Amino acid sequence: MANASLSKKTRVTSGRWFADLNSENLRRTLRKILTNWQLYVFLLPTILYFLVFKYGPMYGIQIAFKDFVPTEGIWGSPWVGLEHFQRFFNSFQFGTLLRNTLVLSIYALVISFPLPVFLSLLMNQFPVVRYRRLVQTVIYAPTFISTVVLVGMINVFLSPRSGLINHLVVLFGGQPVQFMASPDWFPSIYVWSGVWQGTGFATIVYMAALASVDPALHEAAIMDGASKWGRIRYVDLPAIMPTIIILLILAVGNIMNVGFEKALLMQTPLNKPTSEIIQTYVYSLGLQRAQYSFSAAVGVFNSVVNLILLFMVNRFAKRVSDTSLW
């Protein structure tokens, strides 16, 4: 009895201590918020944006597990469970859609990710500042071109009759090529046009990281006899490695999200065997054929794959280095 009474008294005492500790932490947190209330006011629009446009629409994710009927609404539509997912996995288009999406994503990742790193390291070694700024402006300018205009330029340059590329092909003795009608050419056109348009912006990100490198490190490397390649390898590259890892994690975690607008605008009936990806398939089913539940299920599958890849790559990066998203 004495031991039971003592144990009970100990639990009560420890409970009060934790309650006091939590109340003290709460008061300390509220005091910090009140002291820095201006910062939280600036943060409020961002929080509202994510609540309204990111978390709010998650309410509609349940239609992927229902046979959605617009007249019945989301809550009134009957549940079907994983029926739409099974239908997608068993469809003859599943393998083609997954292959096309992964081919475009991996192709773009392999080509477009290391190129800005190389260009930023190269431009950082330019001795003439004006020349560096000129190169930055030239490679950054395509970023301001909209997707619609970019696809229009691609159609003009690759036209079999009046396109500049086909004129060069004919000039060297070849025959005009139907680039936009060829399934084999679609991945390369898609990826390399994206490289031309997006490399400049990614380069600026790495240039900003290189700007924070202490010049004393370069001076010490020069005094030790390091060449330019040695300074890039042992000073610049380690300095931007955390940025590279973070951007790589985000890129791999977004690998299933191929640019929908560009793929749709470049798509033709003849190149559809390689241009039909998950995003264009969801658009075709959801908006053109009004199969809302099935298209929502396909979109949920795409998002879940991205989420799994994000966690896996982040965990791997955390093991091999000290840099990760969390």
Side-chain angles (χ1 to χ4, degrees):
M1 288 292 293
N3 291 336
S5 177
L6 181 62
S7 176
K8 183 178 180 180
K9 186 180 296 185
T10 303
R11 289 198 300 268
V12 172
T13 304
S14 62
R16 290 176 179 173
W17 183 80
F18 278 114
D20 293 340
L21 181 62
N22 291 332
S23 62
E24 179 62 28
N25 290 334
L26 180 60
R27 283 196 297 269
R28 189 181 299 113
T29 302
L30 291 176
R31 195 179 303 115
K32 288 182 179 179
I33 293 175
L34 292 175
T35 303
N36 304 287
W37 65 270
Q38 298 93 338
L39 300 178
Y40 289 94
V41 170
F42 279 112
L43 188 61
L44 185 59
T46 303
I47 296 176
L48 292 176
Y49 168 79
F50 277 95
L51 289 176
V52 174
F53 295 104
K54 300 298 181 179
Y55 290 98
M58 288 184 180
Y59 159 79
I61 201 174
Q62 57 183 306
I63 70 173
F65 307 93
K66 290 188 172 187
D67 187 10
F68 178 67
V69 181
T71 56
E72 299 292 336
I74 294 179
W75 282 106
S77 300
W79 283 92
V80 295
L82 300 177
E83 178 181 327
H84 299 300
F85 294 92
Q86 295 174 353
R87 175 186 166 192
F88 176 57
F89 296 150
N90 295 329
S91 66
F92 72 94
Q93 292 179 304
F94 174 72
T96 302
L97 293 172
L98 189 61
R99 184 187 68 247
N100 292 344
T101 304
L102 289 177
V103 165
L104 285 181
S105 299
I106 296 175
Y107 189 1
L109 181 65
V110 171
I111 299 298
S112 63
F113 188 81
L115 190 58
V117 179
F118 172 77
L119 285 177
S120 60
L121 293 172
L122 182 64
M123 288 192 297
N124 193 54
Q125 297 296 323
F126 285 169
V128 182
V129 178
R130 289 185 178 180
Y131 182 67
R132 182 195 308 172
R133 292 176 179 174
L134 175 63
V135 173
Q136 281 183 307
T137 303
V138 170
I139 65 175
Y140 187 61
T143 306
F144 297 98
I145 300 176
S146 67
T147 304
V148 176
V149 174
L150 176 64
V151 175
M153 293 172 60
I154 293 174
N155 288 324
V156 170
F157 285 121
L158 299 181
S159 173
R161 294 184 178 181
S162 58
L164 176 64
I165 304 302
N166 272 307
H167 279 309
L168 294 176
V169 171
V170 173
L171 182 64
F172 286 98
Q175 296 294 325
V177 181
Q178 297 278 351
F179 290 103
M180 300 302 294
S182 174
D184 296 332
W185 278 104
F186 179 83
S188 296
I189 296 173
Y190 180 93
V191 171
W192 285 102
S193 60
V195 169
W196 176 75
Q197 186 181 29
T199 299
F201 179 79
T203 302
I204 287 182
V205 175
Y206 293 116
M207 288 295 293
L210 287 170
S212 62
V213 178
D214 189 355
L217 296 176
H218 284 282
E219 295 174 1
I222 293 174
M223 292 181 64
D224 290 339
S227 61
K228 285 189 176 182
W229 166 246
R231 289 159 54 194
I232 291 175
R233 181 179 179 182
Y234 296 108
V235 178
D236 290 337
L237 194 57
I240 65 173
M241 187 56 66
T243 305
I244 295 175
I245 294 176
I246 293 297
L247 293 180
L248 180 60
I249 293 174
L250 294 175
V252 175
N254 205 37
I255 199 168
M256 295 289 287
N257 288 340
V258 183
F260 157 73
E261 294 180 0
K262 186 178 175 182
L264 182 65
L265 292 171
M266 291 179 60
Q267 192 176 88
T268 64
L270 296 177
N271 66 19
K272 215 167 185 179
T274 56
S275 65
E276 184 77 317
I277 57 177
I278 292 179
Q279 285 75 16
T280 58
Y281 184 65
V282 170
Y283 167 78
S284 175
L285 290 178
L287 295 182
Q288 295 182 338
R289 304 181 192 176
Q291 298 184 25
Y292 304 112
S293 295
F294 183 67
S295 60
V298 177
V300 169
F301 162 77
N302 193 66
S303 300
V304 169
V305 172
N306 278 332
L307 184 63
I308 293 173
L309 288 174
L310 180 64
F311 275 95
M312 291 176 58
V313 176
N314 185 76
R315 186 173 182 180
F316 176 77
K318 196 172 184 179
R319 284 189 174 184
V320 300
S321 66
D322 296 330
T323 304
S324 62
L325 290 177
W326 61 83

